[in-house]
Amino acid sequence: MGFFRDTWIIDDYVQKNGVKMVAFNDVFPPSYLKYWGKADKTTTACHLLAFHQLDCAAVARALLERGGVLRPRLALASGLDESFVQIMAPFFAGLHDIGKFAVPFQNLRPDVLKLLADRVSVKPYHHRHDVMGVEAWSGFLIDEWLGKGWFDLDGRSLDRDDFGDIIKNWADASGGHHGRPPERPPYSKYLLNEWFEPQDKEALLSYAIDLAGLFSVDAVGFPKIDLYDLRPGFQKSSWTIAGLIVIADWIASNPTYFPHIDQPMFLDEYWGEAKKKAVAAIEQSGLTPSRHSAATGFRSLFPEIGVPSPLQQFASECVLAPGAKLFILEDATGSGKTEASMVLAHRLMAAGEADTIFIGLPTMATANAMYKRLVQCRERLFAPGESPSFVLAHGSRRLHREFQSSILSPIPVPRGEYGSGEETGATQCTAWLADNNKKSLLGSVGVGTVDQAVMGVLPVPHQSMRLLGLCRSVLIVDEVHAYDEYLTRLLEGVIEFQAMMGGTTILLSATLPGRLKIKLVERFDHGAGEILSARSPDSSYPLATVAVRGGVSESPLAVRAGVSKTVRVDLTARVEDAVEGLANTALAGGCACWVRNTVDDALEAYAQLSGLVGPDKLTLFHARMAMGDRLEVESEALSVFGPDGGPEERNGRILVATQVVEQSLDLDFDFMVSDLCPADLIIQRAGRLHRHGRPGRPVSDPRIVILGPLPADDPPADWYSAFFPGGAWVYRIHRRLWLTARWLAEHQRLAIPGDGRRLV
């Protein structure tokens, strides 16, 4: 029947084997070594449950030891000492799979159950092991924990029930190791005795006691503070603890790092081996922070740029107060906000305030462009000899050739299932490694669409893992004005979380409305635990705003040389005027762009221009293209209309596009037509006119034609929708469009950046 049929009294075992006994049970092997945690799909080979849980604990411990800011972030959020976090977080990770002690789970492999424990069961597996595990916590494990006196409450003002409720926050986080909180049915507590037979409970409790002894949990004790103060800290830190255990379980489930062992050994002996394997595993997985370069400041990151802008100079010299911070950098398009944000992020990493960077952008096109722009910069962020991970994160990153070519050969991970449709940790990890979007916030530098970050505050699988990545990162969000109300609300939640964890968020915008700015600062204050009196933001522009715990400072800045320009604005309701302006610019040897508000309108414009401009001179770019075609057109647009496009490439070229070109893409046109849209987007689109100094430019003065209904004094209800039936659904607040049209009609010019505040 195998090794486990025999048990030996400790004294006999010591006499026969001449070893020092360090396990805490009376017999060896203890009962908990008769349970499997991972099983081979085709044989009875398995990995013992206690060993897998120790693997997970060892990875969590290694991540905290070598994870840079992770441990202090968790200590800050929980209100606990770092030394306490270093012990207790791995301890909870070592209990993440206690639901597998339930006989219905063990009976997923009756052959292994029979071999290990000489048991036969007919109990079906109707509920996931994580559900059974969290019910075991509340049903009997916490009571046993307190009953053993592991934590002396020392007569303080908290009864055992309240204490159990506090601990339960991390217990639930431990149970959510498959990427989401377990959904416990309302009747689950009545099933405990069905799930856990007496011998299963005994084995679980025996394992928990030995694990506590292994970690010296009974010698740690809680900090000498009012235990009621622990409740909000355990709640706040529970999502990050969940993320830590999710990652630890993913790595621990990889048999390449942790080969299956089905022969018993003492826990301390296995623990020593598991710790060594865990260190190697996280290093090979790329989860240890790369050392940053010693030199900071603008010139160390961007030596190719001769003179920094005032905003970039501010980023190089401003005081970095310790703790949570929110930077809001407002400056005109083309002023170098991205470079300024990278300088700030690098300084924060050098100060030990962050390990990684994630940059969120509004579209896949802007994320692709940013990824390409940062290739050289990201190498200067880190010390020579380091191998930082550089991740592109959006739904179609698999089609990005440069990103795909940078991916190292993955370590193969077997796929398999326990049965009943339940995935193993390795199966989930394989899917996660293939879908790097989930891992994007764990990379040294991540660039992606902003939804990859805000999913951390949504009830989606693995959101806790995203939050863990966020708390280690400087989060940079570009074009923060560009998001709709729903996404903006989610971004506010992310800012609040970052502040709560002591992290930093940097927001970039050329056209940030004052009311939105106030709201963003308020959410930061709430996360940082501050309540500040309402105040009106400074109306200066450009402007750098810094919010820290206890105050907000605003620094007016000068305009970058060469950025200021005055754009002539003409309004027309005649499509013929728009087409004529585009054709004349092309005939004069210039390049032009028509930005349309819908794809259907873009297709119509392309058809109208096809008869006037040769097919080799006309390009169509919109978001509904097949992704492969879209990436090719995006690359072509950047090569022709970007900073490296020369007079020969630009001569006579016209780009018809939707909103994909209006933000974060470094494009430069001589003339533009734009459908009437909100004021902030008019500014963004106009910012693509005469963006770079070009000697001999065929069109000397920047000009934009706004196509749309003219601003009548008493407009009808369908004033906008009659002209743009599709666009009316894209931009639904038509009174703002009317105000924009009236302002532009009155001024007939747009001074950048001077008119930005007034127009927005």
Side-chain angles (χ1 to χ4, degrees):
M1 291 297 180
F3 181 83
F4 287 93
R5 290 301 310 277
D6 300 316
T7 58
W8 299 303
I9 303 300
I10 292 177
D11 291 341
D12 292 340
Y13 183 72
V14 171
Q15 291 174 9
K16 292 178 180 178
N17 297 277
V19 298
K20 181 181 178 182
M21 185 64 188
V22 294
F24 298 88
N25 285 281
D26 293 335
V27 296
F28 187 87
S31 59
Y32 55 75
L33 291 182
K34 301 180 182 181
Y35 292 77
W36 63 272
K38 304 286 179 182
D40 186 78
K41 192 172 184 180
T42 58
T43 73
T44 56
C46 67
H47 193 46
L48 299 185
L49 175 55
F51 295 166
H52 168 64
Q53 297 202 98
L54 284 182
D55 295 340
C56 186
V59 175
R61 178 182 180 274
L63 287 170
L64 290 171
E65 275 190 341
R66 298 166 177 263
V69 303
L70 180 56
R71 186 172 60 194
R73 287 279 192 270
L74 278 170
L76 174 68
S78 63
L80 303 173
D81 293 334
E82 286 189 39
S83 59
F84 189 87
V85 171
Q86 181 65 38
I87 292 176
M88 291 308 300
F91 176 70
F92 277 86
L95 293 167
H96 76 285
D97 259 350
I98 58 174
K100 291 182 179 179
F101 280 103
V103 69
F105 177 87
Q106 292 294 310
N107 199 37
L108 286 174
R109 290 297 303 272
D111 53 343
V112 181
L113 175 62
K114 176 67 174 176
L115 179 65
L116 294 182
D118 194 21
R119 292 172 67 183
V120 175
S121 175
V122 295
K123 289 189 175 180
Y125 186 72
H126 291 318
H127 298 88
R128 289 176 56 95
H129 72 271
D130 48 1
V131 173
M132 296 187 288
V134 295
E135 199 60 63
W137 268 103
S138 59
F140 55 85
L141 184 56
I142 288 178
D143 287 341
E144 180 71 16
W145 186 346
L146 298 177
K148 292 293 181 183
W150 293 348
F151 295 97
D152 182 9
L153 301 187
D154 199 22
R156 285 171 282 173
S157 56
L158 194 74
D159 62 29
R160 286 172 57 172
D161 289 340
D162 285 336
F163 184 66
D165 287 342
I166 292 173
I167 294 299
K168 193 172 177 298
N169 288 290
W170 279 19
D172 288 344
S174 175
H177 58 277
H178 280 283
R180 65 174 68 199
E183 297 181 7
R184 298 159 64 185
Y187 52 84
S188 59
K189 64 181 180 180
Y190 302 109
L191 296 175
L192 266 179
N193 291 333
E194 289 294 317
W195 293 337
F196 296 91
E197 295 180 353
Q199 63 202 89
D200 303 323
K201 288 185 180 181
E202 179 185 356
L204 191 162
L205 294 174
S206 177
Y207 168 74
I209 292 170
D210 280 10
L211 184 70
L214 187 66
F215 280 38
S216 299
V217 168
D218 55 344
V220 177
F222 273 94
K224 297 299 182 181
I225 61 175
D226 189 334
L227 289 177
Y228 277 113
D229 293 338
L230 291 175
R231 190 186 305 274
F234 267 67
Q235 290 174 338
K236 287 195 302 183
S237 59
S238 62
W239 288 106
T240 313
I241 288 292
L244 174 68
I245 296 175
V246 166
I247 296 171
D249 184 44
W250 156 61
I251 298 175
S253 298
N254 190 330
T256 303
Y257 301 138
F258 298 92
H260 290 179
I261 296 178
D262 56 10
Q263 293 300 306
M265 65 177 72
F266 297 119
L267 284 193
D268 73 325
E269 181 183 354
Y270 187 84
W271 176 239
E273 293 300 316
K275 288 189 291 186
K276 296 176 185 177
K277 295 174 184 175
V279 171
I282 65 168
E283 289 179 351
Q284 292 178 48
S285 300
L287 294 179
T288 52
S290 297
R291 292 180 300 115
H292 58 78
S293 58
T296 62
F298 184 80
R299 296 196 183 281
S300 67
L301 285 187
F302 303 101
E304 68 277 6
I305 300 178
V307 179
S309 70
L311 177 63
Q312 293 164 346
Q313 195 67 35
F314 169 85
S316 296
E317 299 174 351
C318 66
V319 175
L320 299 179
K325 289 173 282 293
L326 173 66
F327 291 88
I328 302 177
L329 307 182
E330 301 172 85
D331 207 343
T333 57
S335 61
K337 295 187 292 294
T338 298
E339 291 80 2
S341 68
M342 294 302 295
V343 169
L344 274 174
H346 189 210
R347 292 182 61 204
L348 288 163
M349 293 169 67
E353 298 260 341
D355 299 325
T356 59
I357 301 170
F358 184 81
I359 306 174
L361 296 116
T363 65
M364 288 187 286
T366 56
N368 290 339
M370 185 66 71
Y371 182 87
K372 187 174 182 179
R373 286 176 63 186
L374 292 181
V375 167
Q376 287 186 328
C377 167
R378 57 107 179 181
E379 294 175 351
R380 298 169 185 151
L381 290 168
F382 301 97
E386 294 293 298
S387 300
S389 53
F390 192 26
V391 181
L392 177 64
H394 58 63
S396 297
R397 56 148 182 79
R398 288 186 179 88
L399 298 176
H400 195 284
R401 294 189 183 94
E402 186 175 353
F403 172 62
Q404 288 301 309
S405 65
S406 70
I407 297 174
L408 299 175
S409 298
I411 296 176
V413 180
R415 299 181 61 86
E417 290 187 348
Y418 296 127
S420 303
E422 173 148 338
E423 292 182 322
T424 68
T427 302
Q428 286 189 333
C429 297
T430 302
W432 178 41
L433 286 173
D435 180 7
N436 259 345
N437 287 336
K438 295 176 182 177
K439 191 183 177 185
S440 59
L441 275 79
L442 300 173
S444 303
V445 179
V447 178
T449 47
V450 74
D451 60 288
Q452 299 301 325
V454 302
M455 276 195 283
V457 295
L458 283 173
V460 297
H462 296 96
Q463 54 79 225
S464 62
M465 193 163 52
R466 295 177 189 271
L467 290 180
L468 185 84
L470 273 176
C471 83
R472 301 171 60 223
S473 297
V474 176
L475 174 63
I476 302 172
V477 182
D478 200 5
E479 311 291 1
V480 71
H481 58 274
Y483 307 112
D484 59 28
E485 186 174 350
Y486 174 71
L487 196 56
T488 299
R489 182 65 181 271
L490 297 178
L491 178 59
E492 292 171 8
V494 172
I495 292 170
E496 183 174 342
F497 171 81
Q498 279 286 83
M500 181 181 70
M501 298 298 294
T504 297
T505 303
I506 303 173
L507 306 178
L508 311 179
S509 178
T511 53
L512 187 64
R515 63 186 180 278
L516 176 56
K517 182 177 179 179
I518 292 173
K519 185 64 174 176
L520 295 172
V521 173
E522 286 176 348
R523 292 302 294 269
F524 169 84
D525 291 337
H526 188 268
E530 293 288 314
I531 301 178
L532 301 180
S533 58
R535 60 194 302 275
S536 298
D538 193 319
S539 60
S540 302
Y541 189 87
L543 184 69
T545 303
V546 184
V548 297
R549 184 180 174 90
V552 178
S553 62
E554 294 174 309
S555 301
L557 302 169
V559 179
R560 182 178 193 171
V563 170
S564 297
K565 58 177 173 272
T566 299
V567 178
R568 175 184 163 188
V569 179
D570 295 322
L571 272 70
T572 182
R574 287 169 36 89
V575 174
E576 295 82 359
D577 294 340
V579 172
E580 181 181 358
L582 293 164
N584 289 341
T585 301
L587 289 173
C591 66
C593 179
W594 189 352
V595 185
R596 310 239 52 187
N597 290 340
T598 70
V599 173
D600 288 343
D601 289 337
L603 294 172
E604 181 182 341
Y606 184 82
Q608 289 174 305
L609 290 168
S610 295
L612 302 176
V613 182
D616 58 329
K617 296 291 187 179
L618 186 61
T619 303
L620 178 66
F621 185 21
H622 60 74
R624 246 172 31 205
M625 288 178 162
M627 188 51 59
D629 295 338
R630 177 175 170 175
L631 291 173
E632 288 186 7
V633 173
E634 176 187 313
S635 178
E636 178 190 354
L638 286 168
S639 65
V640 172
F641 305 107
D644 297 329
E648 187 173 331
E649 292 88 358
R650 296 164 58 87
N651 185 1
R653 295 294 295 266
I654 297 178
L655 177 67
V656 178
T658 56
Q659 294 89 339
V660 292
V661 301
E662 71 189 11
Q663 299 180 94
S664 295
L665 289 182
D666 193 3
L667 303 177
D668 177 12
F669 302 100
D670 301 317
F671 171 77
M672 178 177 287
V673 175
S674 170
D675 291 354
L676 179 61
C677 61
D680 58 330
L681 301 183
I682 292 289
I683 295 173
Q684 291 290 330
R685 296 176 185 186
R688 271 67 196 162
L689 284 167
H690 291 226
R691 188 179 176 96
H692 300 291
R694 295 181 183 275
R697 187 187 289 269
V699 179
S700 57
D701 297 317
R703 175 172 171 249
I704 185 170
V705 171
I706 305 298
L707 176 65
L710 300 179
D713 290 338
D714 187 17
D718 63 348
W719 171 78
Y720 190 78
S721 60
F723 199 99
F724 291 121
W729 292 97
V730 178
Y731 306 117
R732 300 190 179 192
I733 306 178
H734 298 166
R735 63 181 180 275
R736 292 183 183 171
L737 298 171
W738 180 85
L739 288 170
T740 299
R742 188 178 67 171
W743 192 96
L744 294 172
E746 289 175 354
H747 292 81
Q748 297 184 4
R749 56 106 180 97
L750 179 59
I752 298 176
D755 288 335
R757 284 271 195 244
R758 287 189 296 164
L759 182 55
V760 170

